[in-house]
Amino acid sequence: MERPNLYICHTAYQVLVDMVRAMEDAVPPELILSSVIPNTDELAGRLSATGLFRCVRVFDELACGNAIQQGFLRTLLLQRVMGRRNVEKYYGFSIRPQDYNAIYIHNDWSVLGRYLQDLKAPYILCEDTMASTCRPEHPIIDEQRKLPHFRLRQKFCYGYLYWGDYKRVTAVETECAAKTGLFPEKLREDSKSDRFHRLTADQKALIRQVFLTRPLPEKAEGAVLFLPRDFVPDGLLDSETQKKMFAAVVKAHCSDGPLFLKTHPRDTFDYSTLFPDAVILERTMPSEVLNFALPFRFKKAVTVESTVLKALEVADEKLELSLSEALALLR
C-alpha cells in the first residue's frame, strides 16, 4: 500500500501551498499545523472538512518547551535524547518517519524541525514564503556555515543545522532553480506560482472555503487594497506613530475607491477602529488567495516596506513605499 506524504506548516501561506499539493497527491496526506498559526484549531477543522487530508493535527510548540542543551558534551550525548523526550514523553506527540512516503517542512528552525532531526528523519525543505530561496544573498545561512567545525557538525549531526544544511535533508525546494545559488546537489524546482495557475474552479472554491469565512462584496468598482505591516514588535515604530502613518498612507494613496485591508496573519491590531468604512479581509488568509478569491480586480494595491506585492496578480497598479517614504507623509 502506498504511503502518504506528511506536510508540516507554520504559516497560513504554507497551509495554502500544501492544500494545493494535497489536491495532486495520489494518497490523502497527513498535515501537522504548528499552533503559531493564528486560530489554529478553527483552521484545522475547516481543513479536515475539505476531505483532502487523511489526518490534521495541531502541535503547540510553545507548550512543548525548550530542550536545547548547553555545552559540548551535553549537546553531543544528550541533545537527541532530551529533544525526543521533551516532545514524546512530556508533550505526548510523536511522528513515525517510516509511515510516510516523504516529509515536507517549510521551517526546520522550529521545535518540529529539531524533532525531525532528533528522529534522524530525512525530509524535504520547502520555501518559507513565495520564492524565499530566490535571493542573491543568504546571510543567515552564511553565518551558520561560519560556526566552529561546521563540516564536522554537519557530518556527525552535532547540535542542529537549519535552512537545508542538515545532512538528512533530501531536497531543497525553490520557485526557480535559475535564480537560486544554494544546494545545487539537492535543489528541486517546484513553482508554486505554476501550481496556483493550474487550479480549477472547484479547487479554488475549496480554498476559499478554508480561508474566507465571511461574505465579501461581489462588486467594488475602483477598489484599493492596503496591506499594512506591523512595525511595532520590531521596535521600528511606536503604536501611535504607526497608526498616524497608516492613516496618512491611506489618505495619500488609497482614497480613490472602496478601501480593502489585508493584514499580516500575526498582526492583531483592530484596523476597523482606524478605518471604519474599510472591508477588513481575514488576517489568517494568505495574501496569495486574493489572486483567485474575489470576483473583481483592484485598481491599486499599496504596502509599506513589504514583499507581499510580488506575488499579487489582481491589482492594476502596485505601490511599495519604504518606511521613510511613509513616515515622510506625516510632515
Side-chain angles (χ1 to χ4, degrees):
M1 182 176 177
E2 190 172 352
R3 294 174 298 171
N5 290 326
L6 171 64
Y7 302 124
I8 301 174
C9 299
H10 288 77
T11 69
Y13 167 75
Q14 294 167 13
V15 173
L16 169 62
V17 168
D18 292 333
M19 270 193 76
V20 175
R21 288 189 210 270
M23 293 171 178
E24 299 181 7
D25 279 1
V27 177
E30 294 188 11
L31 179 66
I32 297 176
L33 303 177
S34 168
S35 61
V36 299
I37 303 172
N39 303 327
T40 324
D41 290 331
E42 293 88 344
L43 178 60
R46 295 196 299 273
L47 287 163
S48 294
T50 66
L52 287 173
F53 298 97
R54 174 174 154 183
C55 172
V56 179
R57 292 194 285 170
V58 174
F59 180 82
D60 188 347
E61 294 188 89
L62 298 179
C64 191
N66 183 358
I68 294 179
Q69 302 298 301
Q70 301 298 323
F72 175 78
L73 284 178
R74 289 188 65 85
T75 300
L76 182 66
L77 300 176
L78 299 176
Q79 183 62 77
R80 304 296 179 206
V81 175
M82 297 303 294
R84 287 190 62 170
R85 187 180 182 191
N86 226 38
V87 172
E88 295 176 352
K89 181 177 180 179
Y90 295 139
Y91 186 74
F93 183 93
S94 63
I95 294 173
R96 284 170 45 90
Q98 63 270 31
D99 290 346
Y100 303 104
N101 174 56
I103 298 175
Y104 294 75
I105 186 170
H106 298 253
N107 294 354
D108 63 353
W109 41 274
S110 61
V111 175
L112 284 167
R114 290 190 285 273
Y115 177 55
L116 291 178
Q117 295 187 25
D118 292 334
L119 294 173
K120 300 181 180 179
Y123 60 84
I124 296 166
L125 182 66
C126 312
E127 288 181 303
D128 182 3
T129 59
M130 173 71 80
S132 59
T133 58
C134 301
R135 302 170 183 166
E137 298 178 349
H138 297 269
I140 297 177
I141 298 176
D142 292 341
E143 192 64 28
Q144 176 171 261
R145 292 175 180 179
K146 293 177 184 176
L147 289 171
H149 311 297
F150 168 75
R151 292 299 175 194
L152 288 174
R153 288 171 179 258
Q154 191 175 51
K155 181 177 180 180
F156 294 105
C157 295
Y158 169 80
Y160 299 111
L161 293 174
Y162 311 120
W163 310 298
D165 276 337
Y166 174 58
K167 84 171 187 177
R168 291 188 176 89
V169 172
T170 58
V172 176
E173 286 190 347
T174 182
E175 179 72 13
C176 177
K179 295 181 180 178
T180 308
L182 293 168
F183 310 107
E185 73 287 355
K186 295 182 180 181
L187 206 59
R188 175 189 295 179
E189 183 170 288
D190 187 329
S191 172
K192 307 309 180 290
S193 179
D194 288 348
R195 284 181 179 269
F196 296 157
H197 286 136
R198 291 198 301 267
L199 291 169
T200 67
D202 288 344
Q203 289 171 332
K204 292 177 182 179
L206 200 61
I207 290 170
R208 289 195 293 270
Q209 175 183 316
V210 169
F211 290 108
L212 290 172
T213 60
R214 297 191 298 265
L216 295 174
E218 288 296 317
K219 295 182 180 179
E221 191 69 30
V224 179
L225 176 65
F226 180 43
L227 301 105
R229 168 195 159 189
D230 190 1
F231 295 94
V232 176
D234 297 329
L236 298 173
L237 294 176
D238 62 74
S239 60
E240 285 305 309
T241 301
Q242 178 167 278
K243 283 190 268 187
K244 291 176 182 177
M245 179 188 73
F246 286 156
V249 169
V250 167
K251 182 179 180 180
H253 298 288
C254 307
S255 58
D256 296 336
L259 177 63
F260 285 68
L261 266 85
K262 170 64 183 77
T263 67
H264 189 278
R266 287 188 287 274
D267 187 348
T268 59
F269 177 70
D270 182 4
Y271 284 90
S272 66
T273 62
L274 193 58
F275 306 108
D277 296 327
V279 176
I280 311 295
L281 300 170
E282 288 151 300
R283 65 191 182 95
T284 52
M285 178 184 70
S287 57
E288 288 80 5
V289 174
L290 291 170
N291 291 331
F292 44 79
L294 306 179
F296 57 83
R297 291 181 62 82
F298 293 101
K299 180 181 178 181
K300 183 194 293 186
V302 180
T303 191
V304 179
E305 207 146 298
S306 170
T307 60
V308 68
L309 297 183
K310 289 183 178 180
L312 189 71
E313 301 173 358
V314 289
D316 297 328
E317 178 186 350
K318 296 194 282 189
L319 176 63
E320 181 185 336
L321 299 171
S322 67
L323 182 56
S324 59
E325 287 172 330
L327 287 171
L329 297 172
L330 295 175
R331 297 171 190 160

